[in-house]
Amino acid sequence: MDFAAAVTVRPGRAEDCADVGRMIRELAAFEKLSEQVKITDEGLCEDGFGQDPFYKCVVAELPPECRSKEGHTVIGYGLYYFTYSTWKGRNIYTEDLYVMPEFRGKGVGRKLLREIAKIALEKGCTQMRLGVLDWNRPAIDFYFRRGAVDLTAAEGWHSFRFGAEALKQLALGEAGTGAGPGSLRP
């Protein structure tokens, strides 16, 4: 059987949130960051399929006769959302691209990424962006083989994040003024 041909990539639905949530937790465990996962399956459902969706996703699904060892038919997902570049216009950001370990190396990730790329082009996006941990060499190589450019190496871009407490301080005008990592200096 041609395994890749058996895999269907389709738009995610609200009823997929339990499977997507399961795989988010699997991905976090792989990245050694399980303690950072705070989202619930209900939160995923509201945030992706509620009145004001914040994200979209595609899922990789197998027919029931090909299910995983644990009995799952949804074996991968790609979670994305749209952003905007003042230099390039419409962009798509792929937050997660994940395939269960037993199905890696069989073309599932490639099919998920291809589907997100098609969606990006249909929406008039000029770029797809994503992040990869610096130690995840298989993922880095996967993206390089498909034409990705490492912006940290090529252009010197750094990605920053304001956590919940820093965000509150910014909103209240109480941001720190210290210099160095962790400071909120303008």
Side-chain angles (χ1 to χ4, degrees):
M1 172 183 76
D2 179 10
F3 183 83
V7 175
T8 300
V9 174
R10 61 167 174 78
R13 301 184 293 250
E15 57 267 23
D16 296 318
C17 287
D19 280 314
V20 172
R22 168 185 54 82
M23 290 184 286
I24 287 171
R25 291 183 291 280
E26 289 174 12
L27 175 59
F30 169 76
E31 293 178 340
K32 300 169 186 64
L33 298 169
S34 292
E35 72 284 350
Q36 292 190 26
V37 177
K38 304 299 181 207
I39 193 74
T40 64
D41 297 350
E42 294 78 18
L44 279 172
C45 194
E46 176 62 30
D47 291 346
F49 303 95
Q51 194 153 353
D52 185 19
F54 270 69
Y55 75 87
K56 296 182 179 287
C57 72
V58 292
V59 296
E61 187 172 42
L62 288 172
E65 62 273 12
C66 299
R67 69 183 68 237
S68 74
K69 293 173 192 166
E70 297 87 20
H72 302 294
T73 57
V74 176
I75 59 158
Y77 75 99
L79 192 144
Y80 63 93
Y81 50 89
F82 297 99
T83 66
Y84 197 80
S85 165
T86 56
W87 293 0
K88 303 285 185 181
R90 295 177 180 194
N91 280 231
I92 195 167
Y93 189 89
T94 301
E95 179 70 21
D96 288 346
L97 185 73
Y98 180 79
V99 176
M100 291 174 59
E102 72 183 272
F103 299 107
R104 291 183 188 155
K106 299 179 184 216
V108 179
R110 186 172 51 247
K111 284 182 90 166
L112 286 164
L113 192 62
R114 181 182 305 133
E115 187 62 25
I116 295 170
K118 287 178 186 176
I119 292 164
L121 292 174
E122 288 168 6
K123 295 290 188 178
C125 294
T126 61
Q127 302 177 62
M128 179 188 325
R129 291 184 177 240
L130 51 92
V132 180
L133 289 169
D134 60 0
W135 57 262
N136 191 348
R137 196 75 233 171
I140 292 168
D141 292 343
F142 174 83
Y143 295 123
F144 274 149
R145 283 193 307 272
R146 282 150 187 83
V149 175
D150 180 348
L151 293 178
T152 305
E155 298 181 12
W157 289 98
H158 289 270
S159 182
F160 290 92
R161 171 179 55 209
F162 290 94
E165 191 56 39
L167 196 57
K168 288 177 194 172
Q169 289 178 359
L170 280 170
L172 294 171
E174 299 172 0
T177 58
S183 76
L184 298 177
R185 190 173 175 198

